[in-house]
Amino acid sequence: AQKVTQAQTEISVVEKEDVTLDCVYETRDTTYYLFWYKQPPSGELVFLIRRNSFDEQNEISGRYSWNFQKSTSSFNFTITASQVVDSAVYFCALSGFFGNEKLTFGTGTRLTIIP
Amino acid sequence: EAGVAQSPRYKIIEKRQSVAFWCNPISGHATLYWYQQILGQGPKLLIQFQNNGVVDDSQLPKDRFSAERLKGVDSTLKIQPAKLEDSAVYLCASSFHQLTGLVGNTIYFGEGSWLTVV
């Protein structure tokens, strides 16, 4: 069975601070994908990133960066110099490979950026 | 490119009534999903279609929920009769199956249909 844990229910930071959202996962699959989605108040889940299990290189996209550590089954997400528009609920998710793409989501972290 | 379209966006019904949600996936996407998201929780898969066939409906409450994707394009999710605990956002999503190689399939979501059962 697959499981994703986001222990931080809510985080509030002042604008321009850096913030890290934690994600820990469990799976018996040897190959899998990890995802982060952003859910603004409108409700749509916005895709941010997908990483496969055999690529542990960290990734940076603008103010966003992701740290994938297979040894600790973690896939953490850092926002640098946070902005008010970053306020949303962020979900970490896990899926299998081809033929098993069902996403298993964590419970989400509500991030509030205080102006 | 148009995203995943869903309607209606909002619906309020009384318990024991019925409701139907419609979804049109991204053009060309073979796989379609319906997820249920209860307030404060992560989305949970209800049903997955590959073209017009069901791949996974293990978490669909089949006594009251039904879904179809007759022509392999758009889909309808129906709840009949609705219960109070069905109040949730129903998210439709789609992805594209590439049959060559280990190409990952990112799942793209619609804005959701918000259901309140009173």
Side-chain angles (χ1 to χ4, degrees):
Chain A
Q2 297 182 329
K3 184 179 179 181
V4 176
T5 301
Q6 295 179 255
Q8 304 152 307
T9 305
E10 295 191 31
I11 299 176
S12 295
V13 300
V14 177
E15 194 173 19
K16 296 183 184 175
E17 288 186 350
D18 299 347
V19 58
T20 295
L21 309 182
D22 298 333
C23 173
V24 174
Y25 63 91
E26 297 175 29
T27 180
R28 293 180 181 174
D29 293 344
T30 54
T31 51
Y32 48 88
Y33 284 108
L34 293 162
F35 300 79
W36 277 95
Y37 284 86
K38 173 182 180 180
Q39 189 172 44
S42 63
E44 181 179 2
L45 279 164
V46 178
F47 166 75
L48 295 178
I49 189 171
R50 182 191 73 219
R51 299 307 305 273
N52 61 54
S53 53
F54 44 82
D55 180 4
E56 289 192 66
Q57 276 193 333
N58 291 328
E59 183 158 340
I60 298 174
S61 176
R63 297 184 297 106
Y64 295 170
S65 62
W66 291 270
N67 182 4
F68 176 29
Q69 292 200 342
K70 210 167 180 178
S71 60
T72 56
S73 297
S74 66
F75 186 45
N76 297 337
F77 172 30
T78 297
I79 301 175
T80 303
S82 60
Q83 299 176 2
V84 172
V85 293
D86 296 327
S87 296
V89 180
Y90 290 85
F91 289 96
C92 181
L94 169 70
S95 81
F97 250 54
F98 184 80
N100 186 23
E101 293 91 354
K102 179 178 74 174
L103 282 169
T104 298
F105 285 86
T107 50
T109 298
R110 180 176 298 279
L111 175 63
T112 301
I113 309 300
I114 303 166
Chain B
E1 181 181 84
V4 177
Q6 291 188 245
S7 67
R9 286 294 318 277
Y10 306 95
K11 192 76 176 179
I12 300 174
I13 62 173
E14 295 182 350
K15 58 183 179 183
R16 291 187 290 274
Q17 286 187 326
S18 63
V19 63
F21 301 114
W22 173 83
C23 172
N24 191 31
I26 292 173
S27 178
H29 279 196
T31 308
L32 185 147
Y33 313 79
W34 283 102
Y35 282 80
Q36 179 193 55
Q37 186 178 15
I38 293 172
L39 187 64
Q41 299 181 18
K44 180 187 79 173
L45 179 70
L46 291 176
I47 189 166
Q48 176 183 346
F49 292 95
Q50 177 67 19
N51 296 309
N52 60 352
V54 175
V55 174
D56 184 348
D57 64 356
S58 57
Q59 297 191 87
L60 186 73
K62 297 181 185 64
D63 58 334
R64 298 181 300 104
F65 286 66
S66 65
E68 59 183 14
R69 195 184 183 199
L70 292 176
K71 296 183 179 178
V73 180
D74 55 356
S75 174
T76 303
L77 175 71
K78 295 180 182 177
I79 307 173
Q80 180 180 14
K83 292 185 175 181
L84 295 176
E85 57 261 36
D86 298 332
S87 295
V89 180
Y90 291 87
L91 294 160
C92 182
S94 69
S95 66
F96 176 49
H97 249 277
Q98 292 188 353
L99 300 180
T100 56
L102 291 177
V103 180
N105 295 290
T106 296
I107 300 176
Y108 296 93
F109 287 81
E111 290 186 311
S113 293
W114 300 61
L115 173 66
T116 301
V117 182
V118 297

